[in-house]
Amino acid sequence: MKPHSSTSSSDRRAGLRFFARCAVLIALVCAGQMAIYWLEWPGDIPPAVLKIMELRDDPADVLFLGDSTMATGKGDADLSSTPEMLQRAAPDLRVVHVYDGGCNLTFYEAVAAYLEEKDVPVGTVVFPINMRLVAPQLETLPYRYFDKELLFLRHDYVLFHVAYRPLASFKAFTFRPVLTEDFQKLPVLDGFANLGPVGSYQPHAEARTTEEQRARLVTFFYMYSLTPESQTLVEFGRALDALNRAGIRALPYVTPLDMETGEHYLGDRFRARARENIAHFKQAAAARGVQLLDMSEALPGTCFIRGSHPDEHLRDTGRQAVADRLAEALRQ
């Protein structure tokens, strides 16, 4: 028999020591990262997502999702947001609100899927259908992306939270920006007809916006035509389906529209097109046994904060009217 080689034995021992050191180093790095995670909680979790996560341990009767139309306007006597007004109108319910500028059905669908997956104790989810945010041309370029929020909603577990920052430092995630020059290239749709790009309108310069530009913006924001296959309607349906499966009541509502200003620029076509597009949402909701509140024609023009074009931003009187109507629906 050949004796065992002392050289090969020492090589094996050296190799084992090397791997042991590597294991210790990896353990120390992981322990350090865990310590940083706990010390810096909530770290990189977006505030809107964190608020939804907290509902798992602090149930809500109503989760009110929304966009910038929830917020206060200049000159308001009552600076409360729509959810805060709803809380006053329904004091027996605990209303938790999560809203941010540009929130859309992509985000609402992701929240609904999260509530279903995590079995979050929420009674009702209220969310708006803002007709200015559901245009087909915004499918490829919305007012803002929710890449980071969706990422954390889809990966809500400790290992991901701990690993996020090191992975982000190595550019493992791509969060898409919305560039003004790209947004200006989006088409103005009248029905299904492409009237060309929206142009160089700048919101901060609305005092210099001409009447011709205003008419073009009204067309851009509202005169598109939806179909049942439109992305926003597909997302709407999936959000309702997820909430239904979770046993959570959905209470979507169409935000009030400034019909007076819209008709000033486009005549009767403005109201008719809005009704056509809203009908698709009504049909999708009815098919799933969901009540859809259509407040699109509920308020006079004096309830709106009027800038260079009609939109859904309301004065305090308008926000209170919306809150009262939602409170009434919640009691039904």
Side-chain angles (χ1 to χ4, degrees):
M1 291 180 61
K2 289 185 178 181
H4 290 292
S5 170
S6 59
T7 302
S8 60
S9 297
S10 62
D11 288 344
R12 282 197 296 271
R13 287 195 294 272
L16 289 173
R17 285 195 297 270
F18 172 77
F19 286 115
R21 292 191 187 101
C22 288
V24 170
L25 178 61
I26 292 171
L28 289 173
V29 170
C30 291
Q33 190 60 37
M34 285 290 291
I36 292 171
Y37 167 71
W38 291 115
L39 289 172
E40 296 188 358
W41 172 263
D44 300 285
I45 301 175
V49 176
L50 179 63
K51 205 167 186 180
I52 293 167
M53 290 176 175
E54 291 172 345
L55 292 173
R56 291 177 300 181
D57 301 315
D58 194 8
D61 298 303
V62 178
L63 173 59
F64 198 144
L65 305 174
D67 52 38
S68 60
T69 61
M70 310 289 105
T72 183
K74 293 181 180 179
D76 282 347
D78 187 344
L79 300 180
S80 304
S81 66
T82 309
E84 290 169 337
M85 291 177 170
L86 176 60
Q87 181 66 86
R88 289 202 306 258
D92 55 318
L93 301 176
R94 180 172 182 261
V95 179
V96 174
H97 58 82
V98 175
Y99 64 87
D100 199 357
C103 276
N104 54 29
L105 281 159
T106 301
F107 178 68
Y108 303 153
E109 182 203 343
V111 172
Y114 178 87
L115 297 179
E116 178 193 10
E117 179 186 355
K118 301 297 182 180
D119 195 22
V120 180
V122 171
T124 301
V125 175
V126 175
F127 62 93
I129 298 170
N130 184 331
M131 300 307 292
R132 188 165 47 89
L133 300 180
V134 301
Q137 61 267 37
L138 300 177
E139 292 178 1
T140 56
L141 188 71
Y143 288 95
R144 60 163 290 198
Y145 292 105
F146 290 87
D147 292 339
K148 189 173 183 180
E149 287 83 355
L150 269 57
L151 181 69
F152 275 89
L153 283 170
R154 292 166 180 165
H155 302 282
D156 179 21
Y157 43 88
V158 173
L159 181 59
F160 177 78
H161 295 170
V162 172
Y164 171 79
R165 189 168 294 181
L167 290 173
S169 67
F170 286 101
K171 310 297 182 183
F173 311 112
T174 301
F175 301 135
R176 297 165 291 178
V178 176
L179 303 177
T180 301
E181 55 267 30
D182 292 334
F183 197 87
Q184 291 170 357
K185 297 174 185 176
L186 289 177
V188 177
L189 299 179
D190 190 343
F192 299 105
N194 186 338
L195 305 184
V198 65
S200 59
Y201 170 70
Q202 298 288 347
H204 62 265
E206 58 184 31
R208 297 193 296 273
T209 305
T210 66
E211 286 295 290
E212 181 181 356
Q213 286 175 310
R214 288 189 174 96
R216 190 169 183 80
L217 286 168
V218 173
T219 304
F220 174 77
F221 290 133
Y222 300 106
M223 294 304 289
Y224 54 85
S225 286
L226 294 175
T227 72
E229 291 74 37
S230 295
Q231 175 181 306
T232 189
L233 279 155
V234 172
E235 292 172 335
F236 178 64
R238 289 197 296 240
L240 298 186
D241 289 338
L243 294 175
N244 279 341
R245 288 192 298 268
I248 298 172
R249 180 187 180 188
L251 184 56
Y253 70 96
V254 180
T255 58
L257 296 177
D258 185 354
M259 293 290 179
E260 293 177 12
T261 302
E263 290 180 332
H264 169 74
Y265 290 106
L266 298 176
D268 295 340
R269 295 177 61 241
F270 181 85
R271 190 182 299 262
R273 185 61 53 77
R275 287 175 176 173
E276 290 173 7
N277 287 325
I278 292 168
H280 288 294
F281 287 100
K282 290 181 177 179
Q283 292 164 6
R288 293 166 172 83
V290 172
Q291 177 189 14
L292 172 64
L293 296 181
D294 180 8
M295 290 189 261
S296 60
E297 302 180 51
L299 299 180
T302 53
C303 289
F304 293 86
I305 302 170
R306 284 174 164 166
S308 61
H309 53 80
D311 61 27
E312 302 74 27
H313 291 86
L314 297 167
R315 300 189 183 280
D316 50 1
T317 53
R319 297 196 305 280
Q320 187 64 63
V322 170
D324 289 342
R325 181 66 186 89
L326 288 171
E328 178 184 343
L330 288 169
R331 287 190 288 267
Q332 293 173 356

